Amino acid sequence: MTYVTPSGESLAFPEGFTWGAATAAYQIEGATDADGRGPSVWDTFSRLPGKVRGGDTGDVACDSYHRYPEDADILASLGLSSYRFSISWPRIFPTGAGQLNQAGLDYYKALLDALAERGISGAATLFHWDLPQALQDQGGWAVRDTALRFADYASAVGAALGDRVERWITLNEPNVVTDLGYLLGIHAPGVADAAAAAASTHHQLLGHGLATAALRAAVPGAPVGITLNMTPVIVTPDANGSAELLERARLVADATHNGRFLDPVLFGCYPEHTPAALMPPDSLIRDGDMALISAPIDFLGMNYYRPQHLRAGDPANRRLREYPPVPGTEDGVVEYYPDHLETTNMDWLIDPDGLYQLLVRLSQDAPGLPLYVTENGRAAEDYVNPDGKVDDLERIKYLHQHLEACARAARDGVNLAGYYVWSLLDNFEWAYGYQKRFGIVYVDFPTGRRIPKASSAFYAAVAQANAIPALPETWPV
Ligand code: FCB
């Protein structure tokens, strides 16, 4: 297959652009009992009946704890310059605090050395959702103490791995932890309590601020940032004069999805349109917290998967492909899936232009701040064909379109420094278990065998050229 359009036009990325792939500890490592690791909230949650599809757990996952040299070989064979992985807090502090587990640190040293030997740098995320269960037993992110323990952990990891890690990411998608983990209870730790959720927002952000300071003390000069997942909220104007209503709904949805975590980090305050039920109460916000949270970062990581579209409608009497809007929105507005947009098998809308819009918006909100797309990708119904290959054309198309949006944004002046595909490997997709495959490399879970998919060759070609061909007019899928 060739990726070049008849016109042969190509879009280049800035010189020195970082090309990477991302994973997270609980989703790939397995070996949950190895070398003194303590239990995390995901070990506990995945064992609760009915919480994870098929009763899947991360006990074995991709077994990257043992197979990391092979994974490093794959990254090298694709010509990628950076690997975004996460550190498992309960491997380092099995009970969340107190006694440090040297064997846990040694694992990440070995991983980073294996990467370095192959010319790949490491971007380490400190918290990608696997909170030590012992801390959850004391309230988890709903209590302030967890933020202080997070800073201790950041400091220990910084001191031990600071010479090997190129870039630090404090938190991954804190809004998902708050909304799915503490408000709806459909992710670990499975709490469904609005007050705990609002508290977890503030305490995660405080943890980010404290960990940033701790890392800076432990590793002077190291770049530190945070990864937020962002959802562009797009309204479709309506002929019946609902423009104001739609604009108010847009502000509420944007504060809910984006501003609730972005504004404290960039501007030191929670956005005014945040629905009251989601707002951390003033009693939790101590003097100095917002200054810590908004201490300048060296870069911002953004994960992009899908947009949210709003239009006038009746939430109580919804039509096909219409959904209730976020809580706090006045009546008369619905979320909807525009007919012209396809969905993935997660039922997530595919809208590359949403990525372009977000990048432009962030570059206006934080002029000059380097931006990284720290996750982007799609799940698909991948299978090994009789020739032993995985021809994931839908994923090639998805990546091509989204990379085109990135290249356009960079061309239009956005300070985009890198892109990480989600994910290097098929892995444990949280409440969906192993059913949803996001990898550019197929994992045969019973054996652990890795089979690079067609999309990995596409991605490697783009990384090598540091440019993408223009989008074809039609796609083979
Ligand atoms: C993101 C998570 C990541 C993965 C992708 C599909 O929200 O950060 O771990 O599950 O979604």
Side-chain angles (χ1 to χ4, degrees), residues 211-258:
T212 300
L215 282 169
R216 291 209 165 118
V219 209
V224 182
I226 184 171
T227 279
L228 304 177
N229 76 324
M230 304 230 356
T231 306
V233 182
I234 301 154
V235 296
T236 303
D238 194 62
N240 69 17
S242 59
E244 270 175 38
L245 183 72
L246 279 170
E247 176 57 10
R248 283 200 299 274
R250 192 189 66 77
L251 290 169
V252 171
D254 186 62
T256 301
H257 293 305
N258 306 314

Side-chain angles (χ1 to χ4, degrees), residues 201-440:
T201 294
H202 188 64
H203 295 141
Q204 286 186 88
L205 285 167
L206 180 64
H208 156 74
L210 291 167
T212 300
L215 282 169
R216 291 209 165 118
V219 209
V224 182
I226 184 171
T227 279
L228 304 177
N229 76 324
M230 304 230 356
T231 306
V233 182
I234 301 154
V235 296
T236 303
D238 194 62
N240 69 17
S242 59
E244 270 175 38
L245 183 72
L246 279 170
E247 176 57 10
R248 283 200 299 274
R250 192 189 66 77
L251 290 169
V252 171
D254 186 62
T256 301
H257 293 305
N258 306 314
R260 193 164 36 129
F261 290 86
L262 182 68
D263 288 13
V265 170
L266 293 185
F267 311 127
C269 57
Y270 289 100
E272 72 171 290
H273 294 96
T274 308
L278 300 178
M279 267 296 286
D282 287 345
S283 58
L284 293 183
I285 305 173
R286 299 201 190 155
D287 280 355
D289 283 5
M290 299 314 289
L292 265 171
I293 293 168
S294 59
I297 44 178
D298 299 297
F299 65 89
L300 180 67
M302 184 192 66
N303 295 351
Y304 175 69
Y305 289 98
R306 52 175 164 165
Q308 184 169 73
H309 288 259
L310 302 177
R311 70 177 175 202
D314 179 2
N317 187 15
R318 284 178 277 120
R319 293 187 263 162
L320 203 62
R321 281 169 66 103
E322 286 188 346
Y323 308 88
V326 293
T329 309
E330 296 158 70
D331 261 1
V333 176
V334 290
E335 183 191 342
Y336 77 106
Y337 277 19
D339 287 341
H340 68 283
L341 295 179
E342 293 174 29
T343 52
T344 72
N345 66 343
M346 299 288 284
D347 201 23
W348 294 355
L349 282 174
I350 302 174
D351 191 356
D353 195 54
L355 175 54
Y356 175 85
Q357 290 183 29
L358 279 177
L359 289 169
V360 169
R361 174 234 179 119
L362 286 177
S363 73
Q364 287 161 357
D365 281 356
L369 186 67
L371 305 176
Y372 288 85
V373 174
T374 39
E375 286 180 27
N376 175 237
R378 65 162 289 167
E381 302 293 336
D382 302 317
Y383 60 93
V384 184
N385 71 21
D387 298 333
K389 298 202 163 72
V390 183
D391 279 332
D392 56 338
L393 299 175
E394 307 95 324
R395 185 170 291 101
I396 292 176
K397 175 178 174 181
Y398 180 99
L399 294 178
H400 200 171
Q401 292 174 322
H402 286 76
L403 289 167
E404 191 268 349
C406 290
R408 235 175 352 111
R411 185 197 62 195
D412 294 349
V414 170
N415 188 10
L416 183 62
Y419 175 96
Y420 292 81
V421 65
W422 184 271
S423 174
L424 177 66
L425 302 169
D426 292 338
N427 60 45
F428 176 81
E429 179 46 38
W430 309 115
Y432 294 93
Y434 296 98
Q435 186 213 17
K436 301 295 185 193
R437 293 178 177 271
F438 273 90
I440 55 170

Side-chain angles (χ1 to χ4, degrees), residues 451-465:
I451 304 170
K453 304 179 191 175
S455 59
S456 70
F458 166 74
Y459 189 53
V462 174
Q464 202 193 350

Side-chain angles (χ1 to χ4, degrees), residues 91-276:
R91 283 198 198 283
I92 312 299
F93 285 103
T95 56
Q99 190 59 42
L100 184 133
N101 178 33
Q102 185 59 41
L105 286 173
D106 290 345
Y107 168 66
Y108 294 104
K109 282 186 185 169
L111 168 64
L112 286 157
D113 288 346
L115 295 172
E117 280 161 22
R118 293 160 178 82
I120 300 161
S121 62
T125 305
L126 289 180
F127 179 67
H128 200 129
W129 306 355
D130 46 355
L131 186 74
Q133 181 61 45
L135 292 184
Q136 184 56 39
D137 295 342
Q138 291 159 41
W141 288 111
V143 301
R144 189 175 176 96
D145 186 63
T146 298
L148 307 182
R149 301 292 74 80
F150 186 59
D152 296 343
Y153 157 61
S155 168
V157 169
L161 306 178
D163 56 341
R164 289 171 168 85
V165 170
E166 196 198 25
R167 209 169 322 109
W168 297 91
I169 295 166
T170 54
L171 305 177
N172 177 74
E173 299 190 355
N175 71 318
V176 174
V177 172
T178 290
D179 294 345
L180 305 192
Y182 286 87
L183 182 65
L184 300 175
I186 57 176
H187 270 197
V191 174
D193 178 324
S200 80
T201 294
H202 188 64
H203 295 141
Q204 286 186 88
L205 285 167
L206 180 64
H208 156 74
L210 291 167
T212 300
L215 282 169
R216 291 209 165 118
V219 209
V224 182
I226 184 171
T227 279
L228 304 177
N229 76 324
M230 304 230 356
T231 306
V233 182
I234 301 154
V235 296
T236 303
D238 194 62
N240 69 17
S242 59
E244 270 175 38
L245 183 72
L246 279 170
E247 176 57 10
R248 283 200 299 274
R250 192 189 66 77
L251 290 169
V252 171
D254 186 62
T256 301
H257 293 305
N258 306 314
R260 193 164 36 129
F261 290 86
L262 182 68
D263 288 13
V265 170
L266 293 185
F267 311 127
C269 57
Y270 289 100
E272 72 171 290
H273 294 96
T274 308

Side-chain angles (χ1 to χ4, degrees), residues 32-91:
T32 47
D33 283 337
D35 300 332
R37 178 188 180 276
S40 78
V41 292
W42 272 96
D43 296 286
T44 311
F45 184 77
S46 62
R47 282 181 166 66
L48 298 175
K51 294 297 184 187
V52 175
R53 186 183 177 280
D56 291 347
T57 73
D59 287 2
V60 179
C62 310
D63 198 24
S64 288
Y65 189 75
H66 298 111
R67 300 177 79 127
Y68 69 88
E70 190 182 341
D71 295 340
D73 281 343
I74 295 173
L75 288 161
S77 74
L78 300 178
L80 302 182
S81 58
S82 181
Y83 180 43
R84 175 178 177 233
F85 64 98
S86 83
I87 297 174
S88 157
W89 186 350
R91 283 198 198 283

